Amino acid sequence: QITTVSGNEFLLQSDIDFLILDWFHAIKNAIDRLPKERSCTSRNLEFKLKRSSSIELLNSLDTESKEPKPEHRKSLIFRLNYSASDSNDRNRVKSRLKKFISRRPSLKTLQEKGLIKDQIFGSHLHLVCEHENSTVPQFVRLCIKAVERRGLEVDGIYRVSGNLATIQKLRFVVNQEEKLNLDDSQWEDIHVVTGALKMFFRELPEPLFPYCFFEQFVEAIKIPDNASRIKAIRTLVKKLPRPNYDTMKILFEHLKKIAAKESVNLMSTQSLGIVFGPTLLRPEKETGNMAVHMLYQNQIVELMLSEYSKIFVSEED
């Protein structure tokens, strides 16, 4: 912002630091070229650089009168326009972005150097399990244990949302630290734990029910005969990769315990199907049948909960 002795103002705003610097130098050079007899007045000009999102011209620059000399105004405006030209601006930004991207190390390199740890949220299920040398993510086990200790009888468990900021904080802790204590007071709200568990499954690059099984499960749930429908679902479940099967079995066993307390927590198998259907089971590419798919997603989860003992039978059976 340039404020003249006469009170006129010239305000330029931008988010780009180097563009602001160009403006500053252009204005300063224009003032330095003023006649010596006006140098005293020019020294009284006040400069303030502000960051914003647009360029606003409040008034023309004037040091003594309301109308600046044409040659001074022309020189100043030309310098400013030249510095802030769209093409020049784009070229500078593009050049800087190219240099930044070319010098930026890859995610793999950062992980190899130990600067970025392997993520739990947002990683493929089998990669998380391989890293932990297990078939069920430790985070899933910890959440289930915490909910079964403190949340089986909580009204609306898994349906009521926890504080999103706290859930994101828990997500960050899980991704950055190896040890997690869900009994810590900052995770006292059990809805934060259930929210984080749902977020974990929602952020899997491929859902717990792999994409290649989606249509098969949908076709199975359409079977009219209940016994045949259960048998078809059971056959598909047994074909799942080991991490998917083991994680699914533990999760559904847990959700069955939630449904058993329906009289207290008001969470029936149908309610749990509505909550977990779209989270655990979804098509790779969304089509116009989203509403129909959602109905099947809910029904599949509901059936697997109500018929848990028949679907997740032991190998000997």
Side-chain angles (χ1 to χ4, degrees), residues 1-2 4 8-14 23 27 54-62 68 73 76-78 80-81:
Q1 177 181 335
I2 304 172
T4 67
N8 292 315
E9 293 183 339
F10 195 112
L11 178 64
L12 299 97
Q13 298 175 315
S14 175
W23 289 344
I27 295 169
S54 63
I55 301 176
E56 182 182 358
L57 180 60
L58 295 182
N59 267 310
S60 298
L61 176 62
D62 181 18
R73 181 173 58 182
L76 177 59
I77 296 302
F78 173 78
L80 291 176
N81 287 341

Coordinates of all heavy atoms in Angstrom, one line a residue, residues 1-2 4 8-14 23 27 54-62 68 73 76-78 80-81:
Q1 N 0.8 -1.2 0.0 CA 0.0 0.0 0.0 C 0.9 1.2 0.0 O 1.8 1.4 0.8 CB -0.9 0.0 1.2 CG -1.8 1.2 1.3 CD -2.6 1.2 2.6 OE1 -2.9 0.2 3.1 NE2 -3.0 2.4 3.0
I2 N 0.6 2.1 -1.0 CA 1.4 3.4 -1.0 C 0.4 4.5 -0.7 O -0.6 4.7 -1.3 CB 1.9 3.6 -2.4 CG1 2.8 2.4 -2.9 CG2 2.7 4.9 -2.5 CD1 3.2 2.5 -4.3
T4 N 0.2 8.6 -0.3 CA 0.9 9.8 -0.6 C 0.6 10.9 0.4 O -0.3 10.8 1.3 CB 0.6 10.3 -2.0 OG1 -0.8 10.7 -2.0 CG2 0.7 9.3 -3.0
N8 N -3.9 10.2 -1.2 CA -4.2 9.3 -2.2 C -3.5 7.9 -1.9 O -2.4 7.9 -1.4 CB -3.8 9.7 -3.6 CG -4.7 10.9 -4.1 OD1 -5.9 10.9 -3.9 ND2 -4.0 11.9 -4.6
E9 N -4.2 6.8 -2.3 CA -3.6 5.5 -2.1 C -3.6 4.7 -3.3 O -4.4 4.8 -4.2 CB -4.5 4.8 -1.0 CG -4.4 5.5 0.4 CD -5.3 4.7 1.4 OE1 -6.1 3.9 1.0 OE2 -5.0 4.8 2.6
F10 N -2.6 3.8 -3.3 CA -2.4 2.8 -4.4 C -2.2 1.5 -3.7 O -1.2 1.3 -3.0 CB -1.2 3.2 -5.2 CG -1.1 2.5 -6.6 CD1 -1.3 3.2 -7.7 CD2 -0.9 1.1 -6.6 CE1 -1.2 2.6 -9.0 CE2 -0.8 0.5 -7.9 CZ -1.0 1.2 -9.0
L11 N -3.2 0.5 -3.8 CA -3.1 -0.7 -3.1 C -3.0 -1.9 -4.1 O -3.8 -2.1 -5.0 CB -4.4 -0.9 -2.3 CG -4.5 -2.3 -1.5 CD1 -3.3 -2.3 -0.5 CD2 -5.8 -2.4 -0.8
L12 N -2.0 -2.7 -4.0 CA -1.8 -3.9 -4.8 C -1.7 -5.1 -3.8 O -1.0 -5.0 -2.8 CB -0.5 -3.8 -5.6 CG -0.4 -2.7 -6.6 CD1 0.4 -1.6 -6.0 CD2 0.2 -3.2 -7.9
Q13 N -2.4 -6.2 -4.2 CA -2.4 -7.4 -3.3 C -2.2 -8.6 -4.1 O -2.6 -8.8 -5.2 CB -3.8 -7.5 -2.6 CG -4.0 -6.3 -1.7 CD -5.4 -6.4 -1.1 OE1 -6.4 -6.7 -1.8 NE2 -5.5 -6.1 0.2
S14 N -1.4 -9.6 -3.5 CA -1.2 -10.8 -4.2 C -0.7 -11.9 -3.2 O -0.3 -11.6 -2.1 CB -0.1 -10.7 -5.3 OG 0.3 -11.9 -5.8
W23 N 6.8 -5.8 -7.6 CA 6.0 -4.6 -7.5 C 6.8 -3.5 -6.7 O 6.9 -2.3 -7.0 CB 4.7 -4.8 -6.8 CG 3.7 -5.6 -7.7 CD1 3.8 -5.8 -9.0 CD2 2.6 -6.3 -7.3 NE1 2.8 -6.6 -9.5 CE2 2.0 -6.8 -8.4 CE3 1.9 -6.4 -6.0 CZ2 0.8 -7.6 -8.3 CZ3 0.7 -7.1 -6.0 CH2 0.2 -7.7 -7.1
I27 N 8.0 0.1 -8.1 CA 7.5 1.4 -7.5 C 8.7 2.2 -7.0 O 8.8 3.4 -7.1 CB 6.5 1.1 -6.3 CG1 5.3 0.5 -6.9 CG2 6.2 2.4 -5.6 CD1 4.3 -0.1 -5.8
S54 N -6.1 -10.7 -4.5 CA -6.4 -10.0 -5.7 C -5.6 -8.7 -5.8 O -4.9 -8.3 -4.9 CB -7.9 -9.7 -5.7 OG -8.2 -8.9 -4.6
I55 N -5.7 -8.0 -6.9 CA -5.1 -6.7 -7.1 C -6.2 -5.7 -7.2 O -7.1 -5.8 -8.0 CB -4.3 -6.7 -8.4 CG1 -3.2 -7.8 -8.4 CG2 -3.6 -5.4 -8.6 CD1 -2.4 -7.9 -9.7
E56 N -6.1 -4.7 -6.3 CA -7.1 -3.7 -6.3 C -6.4 -2.3 -6.4 O -5.5 -2.0 -5.6 CB -7.9 -3.7 -5.0 CG -9.0 -2.7 -4.9 CD -9.7 -2.8 -3.5 OE1 -9.3 -3.7 -2.8 OE2 -10.6 -2.0 -3.3
L57 N -6.9 -1.5 -7.3 CA -6.3 -0.2 -7.5 C -7.3 0.8 -6.9 O -8.4 1.0 -7.4 CB -6.2 0.1 -9.0 CG -5.7 1.5 -9.4 CD1 -4.3 1.7 -8.8 CD2 -5.6 1.6 -10.9
L58 N -6.9 1.4 -5.8 CA -7.8 2.4 -5.1 C -7.7 3.8 -5.8 O -8.7 4.4 -6.0 CB -7.4 2.5 -3.6 CG -7.6 1.2 -2.8 CD1 -7.3 1.5 -1.3 CD2 -9.0 0.7 -2.9
N59 N -6.5 4.2 -6.0 CA -6.3 5.6 -6.6 C -5.0 5.6 -7.4 O -4.1 4.7 -7.1 CB -6.4 6.7 -5.6 CG -7.8 7.2 -5.4 OD1 -8.5 7.6 -6.3 ND2 -8.2 7.3 -4.1
S60 N -4.9 6.6 -8.2 CA -3.6 6.7 -8.9 C -2.6 7.3 -8.0 O -2.9 8.0 -7.1 CB -3.8 7.6 -10.1 OG -4.7 7.1 -11.0
L61 N -1.3 6.9 -8.3 CA -0.2 7.4 -7.5 C 0.0 8.9 -7.8 O 0.0 9.4 -8.9 CB 1.1 6.7 -7.8 CG 2.4 7.2 -7.1 CD1 2.2 7.0 -5.6 CD2 3.6 6.4 -7.7
D62 N 0.1 9.7 -6.7 CA 0.2 11.2 -6.8 C 1.0 11.7 -5.7 O 0.7 11.4 -4.5 CB -1.2 11.8 -6.9 CG -1.1 13.3 -7.1 OD1 0.0 13.8 -7.5 OD2 -2.1 14.0 -6.8
P68 N -1.2 12.7 -11.3 CA 0.2 12.6 -11.5 C 0.7 13.0 -12.9 O -0.2 13.0 -13.8 CB 0.5 11.1 -11.2 CG -0.7 10.4 -11.6 CD -1.8 11.4 -11.3
R73 N 3.2 8.4 -14.4 CA 2.2 7.4 -14.3 C 2.4 6.3 -15.3 O 2.2 5.2 -15.0 CB 0.8 8.1 -14.4 CG -0.4 7.1 -14.3 CD -1.7 7.8 -14.3 NE -1.9 8.6 -15.6 CZ -2.9 9.3 -15.8 NH1 -3.9 9.4 -14.9 NH2 -3.0 10.0 -16.9
L76 N 5.3 4.0 -14.3 CA 4.9 3.2 -13.2 C 4.0 2.1 -13.6 O 4.2 0.9 -13.3 CB 4.4 4.0 -12.0 CG 3.9 3.3 -10.8 CD1 5.1 2.5 -10.2 CD2 3.3 4.2 -9.8
I77 N 2.9 2.5 -14.2 CA 1.9 1.5 -14.6 C 2.5 0.4 -15.5 O 2.2 -0.8 -15.4 CB 0.7 2.2 -15.3 CG1 0.0 3.1 -14.3 CG2 -0.3 1.1 -15.8 CD1 -0.5 2.4 -13.0
F78 N 3.3 0.9 -16.5 CA 4.0 -0.1 -17.4 C 4.8 -1.1 -16.7 O 4.8 -2.3 -16.9 CB 4.8 0.7 -18.4 CG 5.6 -0.2 -19.3 CD1 5.0 -0.9 -20.4 CD2 7.0 -0.4 -19.1 CE1 5.8 -1.7 -21.2 CE2 7.7 -1.3 -19.8 CZ 7.1 -1.9 -20.9
L80 N 4.6 -2.0 -13.5 CA 3.7 -2.9 -12.7 C 3.0 -3.9 -13.6 O 3.0 -5.1 -13.3 CB 2.7 -2.1 -11.9 CG 3.3 -1.2 -10.8 CD1 2.2 -0.4 -10.2 CD2 4.0 -2.0 -9.8
N81 N 2.5 -3.5 -14.7 CA 1.8 -4.4 -15.6 C 2.7 -5.4 -16.1 O 2.4 -6.6 -16.3 CB 1.1 -3.6 -16.7 CG -0.1 -2.9 -16.3 OD1 -0.7 -3.2 -15.2 ND2 -0.6 -1.9 -17.0

